[in-house]
Amino acid sequence: MADIIIMASSATEKQINNVIKKVQGLGFDVNLSKGAEKTIIGIIGDTRGISDEIFKILPGVAQVISILKDYKLASREFHPQDTIIKVGGIEIGGNNFTIIAGPCSVENRKQLFKTAECIKKAGGSILRGGAFKPRTSPYSFLGLGFEGLKLLKEVKEFSGMPIITEVLSPEDIDGISEVADILQIGARNMFNYRLLQKVGRTKKPVFLKRAFSSTITEFLNCAEYILKEGNKDVILCERGIRSFDSTFTRNVLDLSAVPVLKKESHLPVFVDPSHGTGRRDLIIPMGKAAIAAGADGLMVEVHPKPEEALSDGFQSLTLEMFNRFMDEIKPVVKVMNKKLC
Ligand code: PEP
Ligand code: MN
């Protein structure tokens, strides 16, 4: 099996092209990583039937490696450089640090516009807001649906901020894609493989949240489902997992997942301290800790009147707290050599 071909540092351009042609001639696409020292050619596709010998004999080839993990496209071995995702003039990943903020649910025009105005002014880059809400109880507020999407379209024009919103079902993807700049797959749907495949066939970046009970291997395999369909723009989000003690926090925010994911994968890694803790007073400390752990961005819930919110008010920052949050995270972003954008 051959997945990665490492060219010798002395390999010529002609030798590199020759190897690429050989790979393409076998019906595979390549992922080319040109570093200062060496060029790495990744083979995209199911390479189980391909012997490494056919590449080893080519001039300029130093080493042929097989990836034994299930997730190949998501792995850092296959794609050593950080993936950088462009969304409406913003770059996510690499040395950039991105704040996604907004209400848990889109409730009405006033609530949405007021929140967006505050977020933009304080330096947030992407606006979140759920129109289709996956709630634990079917009697809870399930979102405004396409009405909410209309409001998101209006607030996008008003604020100029890109929009992220959750997709619950494959049949909504086309309609939601007309407004959303990023498609969110929530924790409850991380294992919905048909949904993952369908967003993998769109050209929209996908924000994949870790399921409550998911191992890191399962999480990366779900990202692989999206990548395998051709969509290269996947963002991973740690949002807390279930453990034995939920006395003080809604979930256990697994911050060790951040450096593990950064090491295992080239995809940008975000943390959501709102759902991760379920408490607004823990968003600032855990947000700072997530930045220090190496996250590429944070997702936080914000509401002008959290006590009146139709969902997740207890874990939403007030507008005043969001300003404080931005002031407090800035020095930590700087220490981590990242640029807030
Ligand atoms: C959300 O971000 O709106 C949400 C429902 O979060 P999660 O899927 O992580 O529970
Ligand atoms: Mn929420």
Side-chain angles (χ1 to χ4, degrees):
M1 190 162 91
D3 290 303
I4 297 169
I5 302 164
I6 302 176
M7 300 300 294
S9 50
S10 57
T12 62
E13 217 37 49
K14 200 169 160 206
Q15 288 171 335
I16 295 170
N17 287 335
N18 188 36
V19 173
I20 293 174
K21 263 196 213 137
K22 177 88 185 171
V23 174
Q24 289 170 336
L26 291 164
F28 294 100
D29 282 333
V30 300
N31 178 73
L32 189 62
S33 309
K34 278 197 169 173
E37 306 237 317
K38 55 188 177 187
T39 294
I40 297 174
I41 299 166
I43 309 177
I44 300 175
D46 185 355
T47 53
R48 277 173 296 187
I50 306 289
S51 144
D52 45 6
E53 294 305 323
I54 58 172
F55 299 111
K56 274 187 182 156
I57 54 162
L58 297 178
V61 172
Q63 211 184 344
V64 181
I65 298 174
S66 339
I67 299 180
L68 299 171
K69 296 167 180 157
D70 291 334
Y71 52 88
K72 169 166 139 179
L73 302 175
S75 76
R76 197 168 285 271
E77 282 148 294
F78 188 75
H79 188 293
Q81 70 278 43
D82 285 341
T83 277
I84 296 180
I85 300 173
K86 293 195 173 81
V87 186
I90 296 164
E91 291 197 343
I92 297 173
N95 294 323
N96 306 299
F97 194 83
T98 312
I99 296 296
I100 301 178
C104 177
S105 304
V106 175
E107 297 170 5
N108 55 62
R109 182 179 279 103
K110 194 169 164 212
Q111 168 241 17
L112 188 60
F113 276 55
K114 208 166 171 200
T115 312
E117 209 171 4
C118 161
I119 289 166
K120 170 114 197 209
K121 210 163 146 207
S125 326
I126 298 174
L127 184 68
R128 64 151 285 146
F132 297 88
K133 294 302 301 176
R135 304 300 301 284
T136 304
S137 162
Y139 302 108
S140 300
F141 176 61
L142 299 180
L144 297 177
F146 283 100
E147 271 311 301
L149 208 61
K150 264 197 217 155
L151 292 175
L152 284 171
K153 185 168 187 267
E154 286 178 29
V155 80
K156 179 171 159 174
E157 282 157 15
F158 162 77
S159 67
M161 279 192 285
I163 301 289
I164 173 170
T165 197
E166 181 164 352
V167 183
L168 289 186
S169 162
E171 69 258 22
D172 296 337
I173 293 176
D174 292 344
I176 291 177
S177 297
E178 283 177 25
V179 175
D181 298 281
I182 305 177
L183 301 175
Q184 177 170 325
I185 302 289
R188 291 159 186 81
N189 264 319
M190 188 204 87
F191 286 113
N192 187 338
Y193 299 119
R194 295 290 294 273
L195 185 62
L196 300 179
Q197 285 172 327
K198 187 128 192 238
V199 293
R201 289 183 212 120
T202 70
K203 295 201 170 2
K204 296 278 176 181
V206 178
F207 191 86
L208 180 66
K209 298 188 89 174
R210 181 181 180 185
F212 322 123
S213 59
S214 160
T215 64
I216 288 178
T217 306
E218 287 165 333
F219 191 20
L220 288 169
N221 271 309
C222 287
E224 189 80 9
Y225 261 89
I226 302 168
L227 298 167
K228 184 174 178 289
E229 295 304 313
N231 191 337
K232 293 193 164 102
D233 296 338
V234 178
I235 302 160
L236 303 168
C237 180
E238 162 59 40
R239 48 77 70 213
I241 50 173
R242 287 256 164 92
S243 186
F244 60 91
D245 187 359
S246 56
T247 322
F248 290 95
T249 53
R250 184 176 178 181
N251 291 294
V252 173
L253 186 58
D254 179 10
L255 286 186
S256 64
V258 178
V260 171
L261 288 168
K262 293 293 297 175
K263 211 164 185 178
E264 279 298 302
S265 178
H266 51 90
L267 299 171
V269 176
F270 276 53
V271 170
D272 171 351
S274 290
H275 291 89
T277 64
R279 287 173 50 166
R280 88 169 59 88
D281 63 320
L282 299 185
I283 295 177
I284 296 179
M286 293 314 283
K288 286 184 190 165
I291 304 167
D296 297 296
L298 296 175
M299 169 179 265
V300 295
E301 290 185 329
V302 184
H303 197 288
K305 286 190 184 149
E307 65 288 357
E308 289 174 18
L310 298 180
S311 61
D312 288 353
F314 41 85
Q315 63 185 39
S316 300
L317 294 170
T318 61
L319 304 187
E320 181 270 324
M321 276 183 95
F322 182 71
N323 284 309
R324 184 145 37 93
F325 161 83
M326 289 302 293
D327 286 344
E328 289 205 29
I329 63 158
K330 276 176 195 159
V332 192
V333 172
K334 197 162 169 224
V335 160
M336 293 305 288
N337 286 325
K338 297 225 179 201
K339 187 165 65 56
L340 198 63
C341 69

